[in-house]
Amino acid sequence: MLSKGNNMKRLFALILAIGVLAVPSLSFAQEKAPDQKAAAPTTAAPAAPAADQKAPEAPKAEGAPAAAAAAPPAPTKPELIAADKINSGDTAWMLTSMTLVLLMTIPGLALFYGGMVRKKNVLATLMQSFAITCLVTVVWVIAGYSIAFMPGGPFFGSLDRLFMNGMLYQKEAGKLTVSHLGTTIPESVYAMFQLTFAIITPALITGAFADRMKFSAMLWFMGLWSVLIYSPIAHMMWEPSGYWAGKGVLDFAGGTVVHINAGIAGLVCAMVRGNRLGYGREVMSPHNLTLTLSGASVLWVGWFGFNAGSAVAADGRAGMAMFVTQFATAVAALAWMFTEWMVKGKPSVLGIASGAIAGLVAITPASGFVGATGALVIGIAAGVLCFFAATTVKKAFGYDDSLDAFDVHCIGGIVGAILTGVFNVKDISKSDADVLVQLGAVATTLVYSGVGSFIILKIIDMVIGLRVSEEEEREGLDVSLHGERVE
C-alpha cells in the first residue's frame, strides 16, 4: 500500500498535470474568439431571456398605453405570483425531469457502481447511493437549497430559505412562489429538481473509495460536503449573484458543479484513504457487468432530464440539449470502444458503458450552448481522454480510484467545461463565451472542492476514523457493516 505522504505528492502532481493539459485548449480558444470576454453575460441561468435579443416591433394600436412597450425587469429573487401565471407545460416537463434525474441515482448509479465492485461489497455499494439520497434530501431542505439558490454574496447565498421558509403555495388565495431562476414553474418544483443534482453529486464520489470506507464516516462526510462544498459551488456557478455566474461562466447542467466537483473530491478521498488491500496484486474484476450495463442505461435515459431539464422550460433549448446529449454520448461510447479495441485488442462491455458515461459528463456543461459540431468534438475528446485517464494515467500515478469517479467525471467535466467555451454557439446560448472564465471556474472548483474535501476528511478521521479495519475489508463490507450478503 502507498504511504499517505506519497499519495499526497501524487495528488498534487496529478492536479498540476491537469492544469498543463488545459493550456492547448486555452490557446485555441483565444485564437478563435479573442474579443468575447467583454460580452460575458451576467448570469448563466438558461431560462432568462437575453436583453439584446429583441423581437421586431409590432405596429402600435391607437390609444395603446405607453407602458406596454416596456417589459418588466427580470426578478432577482423568489417572488409570490398568481397561480394562473404558471406554465403547465413547463411544469409538467420539470416534474418529469426531476423524476428522471432521481432515477439516475436510484437505481441508475447504484446499479452501475454495484456491478463493478466485488460480490462481497455489492450491497454496501447499493446502500451508499440509497442512504445518500435520503440524507441529502434532508440536508437540502434544511439549508442546502437556501445556500445554493438564494441571492447573497459571491460565494454563499443566504439562510432565507432555511427549512424552506417562505416557499409558499396558497390555494385559496390563488398564489405561490416561483424562483427567479425558473419563473414559469412553482418554486417547489424548481427546488426539488435541483435537489436531484445535489443527491447524485456526492453519490458519484463513492465510486472513488469503494470497498474501504466506514458507513458512518461516509454519512458524516457526505452531509458536511453537501452543505460546505456542493451548495457554495452551485451558488458561485448558477445563482446570478454568484462569483462565476456574474462573470459569465457557461455551465448549463453541472460540468463544474456536479462532475468536476465530485471527481476531484473522489480523488482526494481515494488518496487520503489509501489503496484497497491487494490493489495491483489481486484481481478485482467487476462481479456483475449485467448490473453495470443496466445502470449505465438508466443513467443515459435519466440524463435527458439532467441536461434538457436544465432549460427549466419545455422549449427549443431543451430540445437542442436533448439532441446534443444523445449525439455526444453515442460518439464518446464509440470513441472509448475503438480506442480500447486498438490498445487492448478487444472492445469490452465495461469500456463502452464507461465511454457513454464520459460522453454524458462532458456534454453536460455544453448541452444548452453547442450544436452538432461541438457535440461531435466533445464526444470524441471525452471518450479518448477519459479512457487514457482511467488506464494509463491512473497506473502512472498509482492512485486507487476504485470505479473511475475521478477519471471519468473530473477529467470528462474539465474537457466539457473548456470545450464549451470553444464551441459555444451564440444563436443557441444567447451568450458569448470566454475560455479564461471557463478555466477560472474549473480551477476554483478543483481547489475549493479538493482542499475542502481534504479538511473534512481529516477532521472525520481524527474523530471517528475513515477506514474499516483490515479484517472487515477482507471479509467484505456487506457482512462487516450491514450484516447481509448476496448469495
Side-chain angles (χ1 to χ4, degrees), residues 2-353:
L2 296 173
S3 68
K4 290 186 178 179
N6 286 337
N7 279 346
M8 290 302 104
K9 290 178 182 178
R10 293 182 180 188
L11 170 62
F12 295 134
L14 186 59
I15 293 174
L16 178 61
I18 293 169
V20 172
L21 290 173
V23 172
S25 293
L26 172 60
S27 301
F28 175 77
Q30 287 176 321
E31 291 175 6
K32 180 184 177 188
D35 300 323
Q36 289 181 336
K37 184 175 181 180
T42 58
T43 174
D52 58 350
Q53 301 281 320
K54 294 183 179 179
E57 287 189 15
K60 286 187 179 181
E62 290 187 13
T76 58
K77 62 182 181 179
E79 60 181 358
L80 189 67
I81 68 168
D84 59 9
K85 292 184 179 179
I86 293 297
N87 184 297
S88 60
D90 291 348
T91 302
W93 168 235
M94 295 310 297
L95 288 168
T96 302
S97 295
M98 182 268 179
T99 304
L100 288 170
V101 183
L102 183 60
L103 285 171
M104 289 172 64
T105 305
I106 48 172
L109 186 69
L111 293 173
F112 182 69
Y113 279 173
M116 285 196 283
V117 297
R118 289 166 288 178
K119 186 176 180 180
K120 63 183 180 180
N121 296 315
V122 61
L123 290 177
T125 302
L126 296 171
M127 175 70 163
Q128 287 173 343
S129 290
F130 203 93
I132 286 170
T133 299
C134 301
L135 175 65
V136 173
T137 296
V138 175
V139 171
W140 187 250
V141 170
I142 293 173
Y145 172 71
S146 189
I147 293 169
F149 290 105
M150 291 300 288
F155 308 110
F156 192 93
S158 75
L159 300 179
D160 292 348
R161 280 290 191 270
L162 284 179
F163 288 94
M164 297 298 182
N165 177 54
M167 187 178 74
L168 303 175
Y169 172 64
Q170 301 171 340
K171 182 173 177 61
E172 293 298 325
K175 294 184 178 181
L176 78 174
T177 53
V178 297
S179 170
H180 53 303
L181 298 175
T183 57
T184 63
I185 64 173
E187 186 182 7
S188 58
V189 175
Y190 183 77
M192 291 302 97
F193 175 67
Q194 289 297 342
L195 164 63
T196 58
F197 284 63
I199 286 171
I200 197 170
T201 307
L204 292 171
I205 300 171
T206 63
F209 58 72
D211 300 352
R212 58 199 190 274
M213 183 178 275
K214 289 181 178 179
F215 185 67
S216 58
M218 186 277 297
L219 290 174
W220 274 107
F221 176 74
M222 296 306 177
L224 292 170
W225 191 89
S226 294
V227 174
L228 300 177
I229 306 297
Y230 178 82
S231 288
I233 290 287
H235 179 79
M236 280 188 262
M237 305 299 169
W238 283 340
E239 208 287 320
S241 63
Y243 183 81
W244 287 108
K247 290 186 176 296
V249 68
L250 299 181
D251 186 357
F252 193 69
T256 53
V257 178
V258 176
H259 299 293
I260 298 175
N261 199 5
I264 190 63
L267 179 63
V268 172
C269 286
M271 301 290 264
V272 170
R273 280 299 69 236
N275 297 348
R276 288 168 289 179
L277 296 174
Y279 179 71
R281 301 188 306 275
E282 299 176 8
V283 176
M284 297 182 178
S285 302
H287 91 284
N288 191 333
L289 286 176
T290 301
L291 291 182
T292 295
L293 190 61
S294 298
S297 302
V298 175
L299 282 166
W300 190 334
V301 174
W303 224 288
F304 293 124
F306 202 76
N307 287 357
S310 292
V312 199
D315 61 7
R317 173 172 268 188
M320 281 299 295
M322 181 173 283
F323 159 64
V324 297
T325 297
Q326 177 70 14
F327 185 39
T329 303
V331 169
L334 293 173
W336 183 304
M337 183 189 75
F338 285 121
T339 303
E340 182 183 44
W341 204 339
M342 289 187 290
V343 172
K344 297 188 175 182
K346 292 182 180 180
S348 70
V349 171
L350 181 59
I352 196 169

